[in-house]
C-alpha cells in the first residue's frame, strides 16, 4: 500500500467510488487522510495519478444532494481534497467541470457558526481560487464578502479559522475582478484597520501569521491601480511605514517588514524622472535616418509628446471579467523551453557567403600589405633586436602581466607592465640639481597668473611630500582651450588660473623629499592646455605624516612616463585635442591624465550586510511620508548649462564634461544624500548604466550617499558584492595613482521612477532601478572620480598604440597601424597588424611569413564594457613584448586587431550604442556603411579574407558582462544548440568538429579568471546579427567567439572571492595569447617536437562531457541565484509568482556560498 504504484490504492479508490454505504465511505476517507498525512506529498501525488481527484469530487457532488448533507462526510471529503488539491495541477479545472465549486461555498454560507465544517471548506476554496477563472466565478457568488464576514473585527478567538480565511481571501484577490470588487466595497480600509488592531494587540507576536495574512490580502488588492489608489487614500503608506518601523527590532518579524516594504514600494506613486525629456541631452544629426527601429521611432515622435509621462505598469483597465485561463498552464514548468534558441537546423548550418562582390572587396587589399610586401627595403640580416631609441624612456622590456605574483614595491617596482622607478643614477642626477622654485609672477589683475616652469624631458611628478599647501591649491583642472584668447599663453608654457585674491610671488617647497633633494618638479611643460582649479587644500601636516607612514618603503618618484611605459600625459593631451566629441569637451579628467596602476592590495568581493536593501527602500519611502525633510535642490544639470550652483561649503560639486564622462543631473535630497541621473546614449532614450563623473568639495569622516536612479537592467552585480570605483587626485599625488573599489551599503533595486509606453518603444511603461552606495572620502576638499568600471577612453587607446609603435623593435616585430575608417563624428577607427618580421627576404622566409594563419580580434563594441579594453591592452602588450613565447606567437600568426569598434560611443560616454543610437553588435548581418561604418568595414576585412581563401583560424570579440562572474566564452555549435532544445533524436546524428571547444578548454587550464563551466556554445535567435554568429555562419570561421569578462569578480580559481582589477584583466589578455600558441601546437603538431601525451590533449578536451549552461543574460533574465531579499522586493505590480517564497522571505538572508553560486551551477544541463 505504501508504494507509489501500489494496486492497493487503486482497490481503495475503486471501493470508494462504488460503495453506497456511508460508514464504509467514512472509513475509507479516514484511511486516505491518514495515508496522505503520514506519506506527505508523495502519497498525495499517487492518489492524484490514480484518478483520486475525480472520484472525490464526484463523491462530493453526490453527497451534496442529500438534504441536509452529512456533516462528517463533508468534513472528511474537504479535508482530503484540501490535502491532494495542491498536488493536482488540473484541480481547479476538474472542480469547475464537475460542478463542485459552489458546493463548498454554499456550505460555508449556511454553516458560519460551525467552525469544524467550514475550516476544511475554506481550505478547499483556497485551492480552487488559485485558478483565475474559478476565482472570478466564486467572486460573482459573493465569496469576497463572505470572507470579510468571517474575518470580522479584531478578535483572538478562532485564530486558526481566521488564518485560513485570510489565505483564501489573498488567493481570491489575485483576480483583478475580485480586487476591484473589494476596492468598491471599501475593504482596503477594513484590511488596514484590522492590521493596525492586530499590530497593537499582538504584543507577544504569537499571531504573526494572521498579521502576514492581512498583508498578503493588501498585497493582492494593490496589484491593480484602483487598489493602489485606495491604499494611498486610506493613508496606507504611513500606517505600514510606522508599523514596520516598530517591527524592526524583532528579527522574527522580518517577514512582516519585508511584505510591508514590498506593498509600499508598489504603491509609491510612479514618477517621471525630473528631466525635460529622457532623450539624450546631446543630439547628433545622422547622415541617414533608418527606415525602422528605435532610432526611426525617436525621430518620428512629434515634439509636443512628453516621452516621460507617468503611466501605470498594468493593464487592469482593459481587463474584462471573462479572464481567460490557459488550460496548459500546468505544463509550462514541466519542461523548460527557451524560445530564443534557434531550432531551424538549416539556419544553424554555416553558409559561407561573401555578401559583397569580389571587385568591391578589393578595396580592403590596402589593409593587407603583408601579403604582397617582399621586404626588399628592410634590414633583415640580423636577428638580434636593435636597441630602443634613446628617448623612448623605457626601463627594460614590456613586462607581461602576471597577476598571480604579488610583489612588494620596494623589492621590485614593476607591476604588470607598469614600472615604478627608483633608479640610483636618476636620483644622483636629480640630487645634483638645485632645488626648483615655482614662481607665480604678478600680472595685471585682468590677466591670469602664469606659472612658467623649467623641466627636463622626463616631466617628473614628485610624490606629494614635495608639493606643499599653496602649490597643490594652485593646480587646476586640466582643460583644452582652442580659443585665440589663450594662444599667447601656449607659447610660454602651462597656463594656470589663480583666484584673484591670491598674490604669491614665489612658492617654495621647503619640506625635504625622502628620496631626492629636488622636489619642485614640473607638472606640465609647454602644453597647450589650461588647468582648472583643483578643489582641495593640499596636504595638511597630519595627512603628510599619515601618508608618510602609510607608504614607507613605497615612496618613490612618480615619473609618469616611466611608471606607465604606455602612458604619456603630454601625448594624451595632444591626442585629446584631436578627438571629436558631440559635446565638444574641453576638459580632461585627472585619472586619464595621470594614468592608473593596479593597487598593491587585494580587493575582496563585498559581503552584503543583512537588510541593507530594506533600509534603503525605507529611506526612499520616507521621502513621501516626510516630504518637508527633503531638500530637493539641483546641484548639476546638463539640460540647463547656465544653472549656477549656490556657493555653500557644505555641498558637493559635480562634473562630467570630459571624455567618456556620463552624469546628466544631480539633485540634493538630504544634507549628505544625492540623486544622480545618467545621460541616455546619444540618439536614444535609454541605455543608462555607465557612469563616470567628478566630485569635489567633500569633507572627511562623513558618509555621502549617492543614488543613481535611472538604471535599466533588472539585476546587477552590485547586488552580489561589486563596488563602484573611485580615483582620488590627492592619493595620486601621494604616489598612489589608482582606481580603488569603494562604497558600503551597496544595493540595486527597482525604484518609483518609470518610463511611459511611448518612451519604452511601445512596451508597457517600465520602471527604473537605483544603484545606491555610501562613500567616506579620505581627504578634505579632494577631487575624486567615480566610475562604473575602470575607464579606458578612446584617447587612451590612441596614446597606447602610439607608444607601442614608438617602443617596438622594427627588426623583430612587424607592427602596422592603419585607419580602418572614420566614424560618424570623424574619429579614426584604428586597425592594428602584428606579426613577426620574416627572418630574411629569402623566398622561403617570405612564404612562411605570408602563409601564417590569421587571428582576428576586436573589442569595445559596447562603450560601457571598459573591461574589454583592458583585456585588449593585455593582449596588445603581450604581443609586442620581448617574451620568447610572444615571439613564437608572432611567428605563428598574423594578428588583425580592431581594438575599439565603437570610438564615438566611448568618447561620448554612451553605455551601449554608437551615435546612430543602435547597438552595433546587432548590425553585423546588414551593416549600413553610412550608419555603422566600423562594423561595415570590419566585416569587409573578414569578407576579403574569405574571398582570398585566408579565413582566420580564430575570431574573438572582447566584451564585458554585467551580471555574471569570471571570464568565459560564447561560441557557436549546431549540435549543442540542437541538444539544448531537445529536438528529435535524429537531429543529434549531426557530425560536427568539436574543435570550437579547444581554445576555451585551454584557457580554463591556464587563465585563473577563466571558467569553462560558464561557457556556452548555443546559438540564439536574438544573437543572429552579432559578430560571433555572423562570422561563424556567414564568413565560415568555426572558432568564432565572444569573450566575456566580469565587471565584478571571480567565484572560482585563484581569484575566488576577489573583485577583478586591471591587473587580472590584462593578465587575461596575455593568457589568451598563450592559449592561441597552445592551440597552434594542438592543431599543427607536426611543426613541433612535442611529447605524444600532449598531442592527445585535444582529444581529451573534445571527448569530455559537454555541458550546456544558460546561454546569455538575454535568454535568462537572472544569471545569479535570486537572493530572498531581492525576491521580496521585486515590487512588480502584477508579481504573483512568489507566493510560497514570500511566506519564508526575510527569515534569513543567503549565505555567501549561496550567493556565490554561478548561473551555470544553477541551470546547468548535462547533455546525453
Amino acid at each position: 500500500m505504501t508504494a507509489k504504484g501500489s494496486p492497493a490504492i487503486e482497490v481503495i479508490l475503486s471501493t470508494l467510488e462504488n460503495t453506497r454505504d456511508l460508514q464504509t465511505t467514512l472509513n475509507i476517507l479516514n484511511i486516505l487522510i491518514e495515508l496522505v498525512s503520514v506519506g506527505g506529498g508523495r502519497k498525495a501525488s499517487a492518489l492524484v495519478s490514480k484518478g483520486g481527484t475525480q472520484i472525490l469530487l464526484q463523491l462530493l457532488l453526490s453527497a451534496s444532494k442529500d438534504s441536509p448533507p452529512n456533516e462528517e462526510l463533508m468534513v472528511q471529503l474537504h479535508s482530503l481534497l484540501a490535502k491532494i488539491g495542491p498536488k493536482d495541477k488540473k484541480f481547479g479545472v476538474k472542480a469547475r467541470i464537475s460542478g463542485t465549486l459552489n458546493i463548498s461555498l454554499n456550505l460555508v454560507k449556511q454553516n458560519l457558526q460551525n467552525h469544524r465544517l467550514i475550516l476544511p471548506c475554506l481550505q478547499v476554496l483556497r485551492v480552487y481560487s488559485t485558478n483565475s477563472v474559478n476565482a472570478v466565478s466564486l467572486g460573482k457568488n459573493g465569496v469576497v464578502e463572505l470572507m470579510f464576514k468571517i474575518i470580522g473585527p479584531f478578535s483572538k478567538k478562532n485564530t486558526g479559522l481566521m488564518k485560513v480565511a485570510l489565505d483564501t481571501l489573498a488567493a481570491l484577490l489575485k483576480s483583478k475582478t475580485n480586487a476591484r470588487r473589494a476596492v468598491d466595497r471599501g475593504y482596503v480600509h477594513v484590511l488596514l484597520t484590522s492590521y493596525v488592531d492586530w499590530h497593537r494587540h499582538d504584543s507577544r507576536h504569537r499571531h504573526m501569521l494572521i498579521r502576514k495574512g492581512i498583508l498578503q490580502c493588501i498585497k493582492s488588492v494593490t496589484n491593480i491601480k484602483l487598489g493602489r489608489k485606495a491604499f494611498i487614500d486610506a493613508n496606507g503608506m504611513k500606517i505600514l511605514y510606522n508599523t514596520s518601523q516598530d517591527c524592526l527590532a524583532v528579527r522574527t518579524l522580518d517577514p512582516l517588514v519585508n511584505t510591508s516594504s514590498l506593498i509600499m514600494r508598489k504603491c509609491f506613486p510612479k514618477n517621471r524622472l525630473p528631466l525635460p525629456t529622457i532623450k539624450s541631452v546631446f543630439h547628433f544629426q545622422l547622415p541617414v535616418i533608418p527606415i525602422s527601429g528605435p532610432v526611426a521611432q525617436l525621430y518620428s515622435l512629434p515634439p509636443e509628446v512628453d516621452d516621460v509621462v507617468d503611466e501605470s505598469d498594468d493593464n487592469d483597465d482593459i481587463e474584462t471579467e471573462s479572464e481567460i485561463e490557459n488550460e496548459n498552464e500546468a505544463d509550462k514548468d514541466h519542461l523548460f523551453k527557451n524560445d530564443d534558441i534557434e531550432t531551424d537546423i538549416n539556419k544553424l548550418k554555416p553558409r559561407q557567403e561573401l555578401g559583397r562582390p569580389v571587385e568591391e572587396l578589393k578595396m580592403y587589399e590596402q589593409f593587407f600589405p603583408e601579403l604582397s610586401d617582399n621586404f626588399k627595403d628592410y634590414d633583415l640580416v640580423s636577428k638580434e633586436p636593435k636597441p630602443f631609441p634613446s628617448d623612448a624612456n623605457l626601463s627594460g622590456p614590456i613586462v607581461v602581466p602576471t597577476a598571480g605574483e604579488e610583489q612588494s614595491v620596494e623589492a621590485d617596482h614593476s607591476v604588470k607592465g607598469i614600472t615604478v622607478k627608483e633608479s640610483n643614477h636618476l636620483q644622483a642626477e636629480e640630487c645634483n640639481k638645485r632645488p626648483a622654485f615655482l614662481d607665480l609672477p604678478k600680472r595685471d589683475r585682468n590677466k591670469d597668473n602664469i606659472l612658467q616652469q623649467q623641466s627636463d624631458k622626463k616631466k617628473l611628478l614628485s610624490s606629494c611630500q614635495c608639493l606643499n599647501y599653496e602649490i597643490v591649491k594652485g593646480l587646476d583642472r586640466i582643460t583644452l582651450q582652442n580659443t585665440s584668447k589663450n594662444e599667447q599663453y601656449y607659447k610660454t608654457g602651462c597656463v594656470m588660473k589663480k583666484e584673484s585674491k591670491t598674490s604669491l610671488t614665489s612658492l617654495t617647497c621647503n619640506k625635504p623629499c625622502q628620496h631626492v633633494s629636488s622636489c619642485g618638479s614640473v607638472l606640465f611643460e609647454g602644453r597647450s592646455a589650461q588647468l582648472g582649479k583643483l578643489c582641495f587644500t593640499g596636504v595638511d601636516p597630519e595627512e603628510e605624516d599619515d601618508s608618510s607612514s602609510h607608504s614607507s618603503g613605497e615612496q618613490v618618484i612618480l615619473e609618469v612616463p616611466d611608471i606607465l611605459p604606455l602612458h604619456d600625459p603630454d601625448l594624451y593631451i595632444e591626442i585629446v585635442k584631436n578627438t571629436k566629441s558631440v559635446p565638444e569637451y574641453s576638459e580632461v579628467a585627472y585619472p586619464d591624465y595621470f594614468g592608473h596602476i593596479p593597487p598593491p592590495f587585494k580587493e575582496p568581493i563585498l559581503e552584503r550586510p543583512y537588510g541593507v536593501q530594506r533600509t534603503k527602500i525605507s529611506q526612499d519611502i520616507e521621502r513621501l511620508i516626510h516630504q518637508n525633510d527633503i531638500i530637493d535642490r539641483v546641484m548639476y544639470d546638463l539640460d540647463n548649462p547656465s544653472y549656477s550652483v549656490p556657493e555653500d561649503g557644505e555641498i558637493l560639486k559635480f562634473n562630467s564634461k570630459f571624455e567618456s564622462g556620463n552624469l546628466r543631473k544631480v539633485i540634493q535630497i538630504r544634507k549628505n544624500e544625492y540623486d544622480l541621473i545618467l545621460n541616455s546614449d546619444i540618439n536614444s532614450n535609454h541605455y543608462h548604466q555607465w557612469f563616470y563623473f567628478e566630485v569635489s568639495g567633500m569633507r572627511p569622516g562623513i558618509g555621502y550617499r549617492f543614488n543613481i536612479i535611472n538604471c535599466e537592467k533588472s539585476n546587477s552585480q552590485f547586488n552580489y558584492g561589486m563596488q563602484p570605483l573611485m580615483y582620488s587626485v590627492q592619493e595620486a599625488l601621494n604616489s598612489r595613482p589608482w582606481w580603488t573599489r569603494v562604497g558600503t551599503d551597496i544595493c540595486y533595486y527597482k525604484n518609483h521612477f518609470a518610463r511611459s509606453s511611448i518612451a519604452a518603444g511601445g512596451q508597457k511603461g517600465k520602471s527604473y532601478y537605483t544603484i545606491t552606495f555610501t562613500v567616506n572620502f579620505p581627504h578634505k576638499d579632494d577631487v575624486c572620480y567615480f566610475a562604473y568600471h575602470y575607464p579606458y577612453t578612446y584617447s587612451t587607446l590612441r596614446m597606447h598604440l602610439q607608444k607601442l609603435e614608438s617602443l617596438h623593435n622594427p627588426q623583430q616585430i612587424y607592427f602596422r597601424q592603419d585607419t580602418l575608417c572614420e566614424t560618424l563624428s570623424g574619429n579614426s577607427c584604428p586597425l592594428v597588424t602584428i606579426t613577426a618580421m620574416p627572418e630574411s627576404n629569402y623566398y622561403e622566409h617570405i612564404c612562411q611569413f605570408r602563409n601564417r594563419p590569421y587571428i582576428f580580434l576586436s573589442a569595445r563594441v559596447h562603450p560601457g564594457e571598459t573591461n574589454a579594453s583592458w583585456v585588449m591592452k593585455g593582449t596588445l602588450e603581450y604581443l609586442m613584448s620581448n617574451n620568447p613565447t610572444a615571439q613564437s606567437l608572432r611567428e605563428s600568426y598574423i594578428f588583425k586587431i580592431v581594438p575599439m569598434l565603437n570610438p564615438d560611443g566611448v568618447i561620448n560616454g554612451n553605455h551601449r550604442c554608437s551615435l546612430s543610437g543602435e547597438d552595433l553588435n546587432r548590425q553585423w548581418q546588414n551593416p549600413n556603411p553610412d550608419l555603422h561604418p566600423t562594423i561595415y568595414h570590419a566585416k569587409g576585412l573578414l569578407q576579403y579574407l574569405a574571398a582570398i581563401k585566408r579565413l582566420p583560424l580564430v575570431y574573438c570579440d572582447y566584451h564585458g558582462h554585467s551580471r555574471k562572474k569570471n571570464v568565459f566564452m560564447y561560441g557557436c555549435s549546431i549540435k549543442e544548440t540542437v541538444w539544448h532544445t531537445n529536438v528529435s533524436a535524429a537531429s543529434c546524428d549531426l557530425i560536427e568538429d568539436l574543435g570550437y571547444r579547444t581554445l576555451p578548454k585551454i584557457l580554463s587550464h591556464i587563465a585563473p579568471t577563466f571558467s569553462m563551466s560558464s561557457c556556452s556554445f548555443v546559438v540564439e535567435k536574438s544573437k543572429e546579427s552579432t559578430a560571433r554568429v555572423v562570422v561563424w555562419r556567414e564568413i565560415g570561421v568555426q572558432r568564432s567567439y565572444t569573450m566575456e569578462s566580469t565587471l565584478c569578480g571571480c567565484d572560482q580559481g585563484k581569484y575566488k572571492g576577489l573583485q577583478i582589477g586591471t591587473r587580472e584583466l590584462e593578465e587575461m589578455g596575455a593568457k589568451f595569447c598563450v592559449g592561441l600558441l597552445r592551440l597552434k601546437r594542438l592543431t599543427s603538431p607536426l611543426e613541433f617536437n612535442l611529447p605524444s601525451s600532449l598531442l592527445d590533449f585535444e582529444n581529451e578536451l573534445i571527448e569530455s562531457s559537454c555541458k550546456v549552461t544558460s546561454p546569455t543574460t538575454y535568454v535568462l533574465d537572472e544569471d545569479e541565484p535570486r537572493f530572498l531579499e531581492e525576491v521580496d522586493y521585486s515590487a512588480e505590480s502584477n508579481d504573483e509568482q512568489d507566493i510560497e517564497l514570500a511566506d519564508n522571505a526575510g527569515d534569513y538572508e543567503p549565505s555567501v556560498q549561496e550567493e556565490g553560486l554561478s548561473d551555470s551551477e544553477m541551470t546547468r544541463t548535462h547533455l546525453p
Side-chain angles (χ1 to χ4, degrees), residues 768-780:
Y768 287 109
Y769 292 78
T770 290
I771 300 170
T772 180
F773 56 94
T774 301
V775 174
N776 283 275
F777 294 98
H779 303 290
K780 182 181 180 182

Side-chain angles (χ1 to χ4, degrees), residues 690-763:
W690 166 256
F691 57 86
Y692 184 17
F693 57 88
E694 173 196 292
V695 178
S696 57
M698 64 284 294
R699 297 288 179 268
I702 295 174
Y704 291 93
R705 178 180 170 186
F706 299 97
N707 311 307
I708 299 173
I709 62 173
N710 64 330
C711 300
E712 292 179 306
K713 291 192 175 180
S714 61
N715 205 353
S716 166
Q717 284 291 317
F718 283 115
N719 275 335
Y720 300 93
M722 184 169 84
Q723 294 172 282
L725 286 145
M726 188 181 86
Y727 189 105
S728 162
V729 174
Q730 185 110 334
E731 287 291 295
L733 293 173
N734 269 326
S735 304
R736 295 186 284 274
W738 48 61
W739 287 94
T740 56
R741 302 276 188 172
V742 298
T744 56
D745 294 345
I746 300 170
C747 58
Y748 185 96
Y749 58 90
K750 183 179 287 190
N751 60 35
H752 58 278
F753 293 104
R755 293 175 286 170
S756 68
S757 59
I758 298 175
Q763 308 170 48

Side-chain angles (χ1 to χ4, degrees), residues 506-557:
S506 176
L507 299 179
T508 308
C509 177
N510 49 29
K511 181 175 174 68
C513 185
Q514 296 182 17
H515 293 282
V516 291
S517 59
S518 171
C519 54
S521 53
V522 176
L523 182 59
F524 315 117
E525 181 196 34
R527 181 171 304 113
S528 303
Q530 182 166 342
L531 304 175
K533 175 174 175 289
L534 273 182
C535 301
F536 57 79
T537 59
V539 183
D540 56 36
E542 293 79 14
E543 287 179 341
E544 283 187 351
D545 294 339
D546 290 344
S547 62
S548 174
S549 62
H550 175 73
S551 58
S552 59
E554 297 182 15
Q555 292 179 348
V556 294
I557 300 172

Side-chain angles (χ1 to χ4, degrees), residues 89-90 93 131 325-334:
K89 294 180 179 178
K90 299 281 189 181
V93 179
N131 179 291
E325 175 198 14
N326 183 350
E327 298 294 351
N328 298 319
E329 208 171 317
D331 301 326
K332 281 186 178 178
D333 298 327
H334 182 65

Side-chain angles (χ1 to χ4, degrees), residues 191-199 211 214-215 240 243 256:
L191 287 169
L192 285 168
T193 304
S194 178
Y195 184 72
V196 172
D197 287 341
W198 278 99
H199 176 77
R211 291 157 70 180
I214 298 172
L215 288 177
L240 289 196
T243 53
L256 302 183

Side-chain angles (χ1 to χ4, degrees), residues 806-819:
S806 67
L807 300 178
H808 85 284
N809 182 350
Q811 195 173 32
Q812 190 178 23
I813 302 175
Y814 180 98
F815 179 93
R816 178 184 172 91
Q817 185 180 170
D818 295 292
T819 296

Side-chain angles (χ1 to χ4, degrees), residues 92-293:
V93 179
K94 292 173 182 175
R96 188 169 67 250
I97 292 173
S98 64
T100 58
L101 276 186
N102 289 321
I103 294 173
S104 304
L105 178 59
N106 291 330
L107 274 174
V108 175
K109 286 179 179 179
Q110 294 159 12
N111 300 274
L112 279 176
Q113 302 307 315
N114 187 344
H115 297 161
R116 180 174 177 269
L117 174 59
I118 67 171
L119 182 63
C121 291
L122 287 176
Q123 291 172 333
V124 172
L125 285 174
R126 180 177 61 184
V127 183
Y128 287 161
S129 302
T130 56
N131 179 291
S132 59
V133 178
N134 290 352
V136 172
S137 175
L138 289 168
K140 287 180 179 177
N141 290 320
V143 70
V144 175
E145 293 82 352
L146 183 63
M147 291 303 107
F148 276 99
K149 189 179 290 186
I150 294 171
I151 294 166
F154 170 78
S155 169
K156 288 191 177 180
K157 295 179 182 178
N158 305 315
T159 53
L161 182 66
M162 185 175 293
K163 173 66 178 67
V164 175
L166 285 168
D167 290 345
T168 307
L169 180 60
L172 286 163
L173 292 177
K174 285 186 179 296
S175 157
K176 291 174 182 174
T177 305
N178 289 339
R180 280 195 293 273
R181 182 176 279 109
V183 172
D184 292 342
R185 284 162 176 72
Y187 287 145
V188 174
H189 179 74
V190 172
L191 287 169
L192 285 168
T193 304
S194 178
Y195 184 72
V196 172
D197 287 341
W198 278 99
H199 176 77
R200 286 175 181 161
H201 293 98
D202 185 26
S203 55
R204 296 188 181 181
H205 314 304
R206 292 177 178 174
H207 303 290
M208 192 187 77
L209 291 178
I210 288 182
R211 291 157 70 180
K212 182 153 190 210
I214 298 172
L215 288 177
Q216 290 292 348
C217 293
I218 297 173
K219 179 186 167 192
S220 294
V221 82
T222 51
N223 280 341
I224 63 170
K225 191 161 44 175
L226 281 173
R228 294 193 287 275
K229 183 178 183 303
F231 177 82
I232 295 289
D233 293 343
N235 204 20
M237 293 291 278
K238 195 164 187 178
I239 290 171
L240 289 196
Y241 175 80
N242 291 334
T243 53
S244 60
Q245 293 300 303
D246 294 341
C247 295
L248 285 176
V250 184
R251 188 75 173 260
T252 54
L253 298 182
D254 277 358
L256 302 183
V257 179
N258 292 345
T259 309
S260 296
S261 297
L262 185 144
I263 295 167
M264 288 188 286
R265 282 187 62 204
K266 188 170 28 175
C267 296
F268 201 119
K270 290 288 183 186
N271 293 336
R272 51 180 287 170
L273 286 169
L275 297 172
T277 170
I278 59 170
K279 286 185 284 196
S280 173
V281 71
F282 306 121
H283 177 71
F284 181 82
Q285 186 59 45
L286 296 176
V288 179
I289 307 299
I291 299 171
S292 60

